[in-house]
Structures are given as structure tokens and as C-alpha cells.
Amino acid sequence: EIVMTQSPVTLSVSPGERATLSCRASQSVSSNLAWYQQKPGQAPRLLIYGASTRATGIPARFSGSGSGTEFTLTISSLQSEDFAVYYCQQYNNWPLTFGGGTKVEIK
Amino acid sequence: QLQLQESGPGLVKPSETLSLTCTVSGGSITSSSYYWGWIRQPPGKGLEWIGTIYYSGSTYYNPSLKSRVTISVDTSKNQFSLKLTSVTAADTAVYYCARSYGGNPNWFDPWGQGTLVTVSS
């Protein structure tokens, strides 16, 4: 099983600032990496797939990068609606596995 | 616009079987492009993939749950279902159904709103 590790666990950011979230895989997942956003009481929402392709309707301030074992989700200028928990997921191998999440909170 | 909706009992007794159904609307479950999955999230914790099914009945399960899980599909009702046997308090979670792209392992989009299942006597 591929273990996904996200850091930091919590990220405190002021509105308008840049947020950088990390996701590391225990072995290479190529570019088979997705990012999701989850707000309290809601289902996860797909943001990024293929490590860097934004899903339909996702604002351009969200960008993904990386390949192999190291990945980054960047939110260029945080808006109030972006404060949430973010999860990465690898889909290079079964079983599908998720990272533990990064909570982006208001500083 | 594709929508998924989970349904089933919100309370299950320990050692019994958890049964949930996901109803797909706005699209066909028999589309050759998509697979269908179940994911769960214990309260305050992260996401755990349970399993994925194709409309033909092909399934992929998380090894950690495989001995207790069965996912099935009912194409006539545009639904797929989850059964988890011998549940314990550790199975208390919000259960989500979601669409997955393609036959290989893949991402999920969209997701249902989720349903909380509590295991308690």
C-alpha cells in the first residue's frame, strides 16, 4: 500500500496570502495524484487531477505541481471560501490511498 | 448534471451488517467511461477508500476491508450498493459514494453528500 503523507497538518494563512501544501508518497505514483477540498459538513470536491490539471470550474488560483513522490498544491491568493481541509489521493496503484489532510485556517 | 445520493440506516448494531445504496441521477451507471466507488470518513478523521465497481460487476476492494465488504450494482435502478459485515464502533463514519473515471485506479468526481452511519447498541 502506498502511504500518502501531507504537511503541514495545519496551515495558518491570512486572506490574500499564498498557501503551499505538500503531499509525499511512500513510492512513486508518477503523476497519478489528485487534490480535494473539503469544507465542514460537505463532501470532498475535486480540485486537481493528473497532479496539475484543474477540474472543471476550479479557479485559476489553485495550481498543482510535482511528480513521482513529491507534490504541491498552491493557492496563490487565499479567499475566504478557501479555508478548508485539503486531501491528496494517489491513484497509481490499488488500493487507492489518501493523505491525512491539511487544514488551512485563517491567521 | 450527475448527482449521487446515499441512503440507508443511520444506526447499525455491533456485529450486524451495514447496508447502503447509492442512487445515480442525471447519467447512466452503465456508461463505459466510469466506475463507481465508496469512500468513508470517521468523525474528525481522514478519508478511506472502501472499494470500486464497474457496471459489469468487476470490483476492487481495499485489502483492509476485503473480507467484510461486498459492492454490487443494479443497472435497472441505476444504483450501486455497499454491504459491510460484522461491524464494530470503528466502522462509524460518514459514507460517501462517488464516480470514478476509467478502468484503472482513478480520482473521484463528483461525490454524494454522504451519510453518517453510527455503530452502537
Side-chain angles (χ1 to χ4, degrees), chain A residues 20-33:
Chain A
T20 302
L21 290 67
S22 295
C23 176
R24 174 176 293 179
S26 61
Q27 64 188 75
S28 178
V29 298
S30 187
S31 295
N32 297 314
L33 191 285

Side-chain angles (χ1 to χ4, degrees), chain B residues 35-39 49 51-53 71 80 96-100 108:
Chain B
Y35 281 50
W36 308 90
W38 287 99
I39 306 99
W49 171 69
T52 295
I53 190 167
I71 297 175
F80 62 106
Y96 296 101
C97 60
R99 183 180 67 178
S100 179
F108 293 102

